[in-house]
Amino acid sequence: MESVSEAKVQTGPLPDPFGDTRDDCAVIALKHVTREYAGRTGVVRALADASFSIVAGEWVAITGPSGSGKSTLVNLIGCLDRPTSGELKIDNVDVASMSATELDRFRADKIGFIFQQFHLIPYLSAIENVMLAQYFHSMTDEAEARAALERVGLGSRISHLPSELSGGEQQRVCIARALINNPPILLADEPTGNLDAANQAIVAELLQDLHGNGHTIVIVTHDPEMAGLAQRKIALSHGKVFCHPVGGPIVTLRR
């Protein structure tokens, strides 16, 4: 497998992250977003004054060490949390002031999640796990769920339980589940973290295919190889965001 070195975080003045992006072009837009939590010893600022945008069809990797604010940022982009201050727009809708119920519905419509830990229901088959995402979207369509599994190469495994699937196959079920409601954004949190090299390559190729078909992909990863597939990196350090320029090398993971 090819080796990809992590890009260095810029330490000098950064260009305005909104300078080259019209607000109506950004599928994700943060302006001066801060997230604070109450800790035992005082207020913890997990994300500090973050401003950047991601346009439709872009593939962006979010990188940074543990404790840098990646999980906080993912929860905000994924509409699992709301900022303490600042403006957060998803698909040109300000979600910062939404109620929990409104966020739940909006999240189901706009974001497909791919998790490191899979989060499959153990007593449901592959197709039933995919259809579960449809159920929370107030509709089910077995033919669509079957087509989603066929798209990720699991047409012959639709009746298998998660325990009867390999780790790579379980992750592909997760990808099918994320795609089933046709969301504009795919949010992948360490999607290859629990996979061997061969299955990492399979998942990477699936993500490349999805991106080539116009999906907006935001991937959180510690893996420099996976980060190297993205068009752009957003690095976090101690809650601060550093945006790398567009145009870095794009690599291919090989089996």
Side-chain angles (χ1 to χ4, degrees), residues 87-211:
E87 181 182 271
L88 170 59
K89 287 187 176 183
I90 305 295
D91 207 16
N92 212 31
V93 175
D94 188 355
V95 300
S97 59
M98 282 187 177
S99 68
T101 301
E102 289 171 333
L103 273 179
D104 287 344
R105 181 64 188 184
F106 188 81
R107 182 172 58 247
D109 287 338
K110 300 298 182 180
I111 300 167
F113 289 92
I114 304 170
F115 300 103
Q116 178 181 359
Q117 300 297 334
F118 310 143
H119 295 302
L120 299 175
I121 307 300
Y123 52 83
L124 296 182
S125 67
I127 195 168
E128 290 169 338
N129 267 284
V130 173
M131 291 176 69
L132 188 62
Q134 294 179 313
Y135 175 80
F136 287 118
H137 204 261
S138 303
M139 56 82 73
T140 57
D141 187 322
E142 184 174 344
E144 285 188 1
R146 183 186 299 270
L149 286 166
E150 290 173 348
R151 183 177 182 182
V152 298
L154 292 178
S156 63
R157 310 285 278 174
I158 63 172
S159 298
H160 287 66
L161 297 173
S163 61
E164 299 169 327
L165 301 173
S166 69
E169 289 172 332
Q170 290 183 60
Q171 188 59 288
R172 282 186 274 163
V173 174
C174 292
I175 294 173
R177 181 181 61 190
L179 292 172
I180 193 63
N181 294 322
N182 196 31
I185 301 166
L186 292 179
L187 183 55
D189 189 1
E190 297 285 357
T192 59
N194 288 332
L195 304 181
D196 59 24
N199 279 302
Q200 284 181 15
I202 291 172
V203 170
E205 289 170 8
L206 277 172
L207 291 174
Q208 286 178 303
D209 179 61
L210 292 170
H211 179 246

Side-chain angles (χ1 to χ4, degrees), residues 7 227-233 244-251:
L229 293 171
Q231 296 169 294
R232 181 161 59 102
K233 296 179 187 177
H244 293 280
V246 177
I250 296 178
V251 302

Side-chain angles (χ1 to χ4, degrees), residues 30 41-42 54 61 85-86 106 108 145-146 189 194 212 227 230 245 255:
L30 288 78
T41 59
I54 297 172
S85 63
F106 188 81
R146 183 186 299 270
D189 189 1
N194 288 332
R255 301 177 197 177

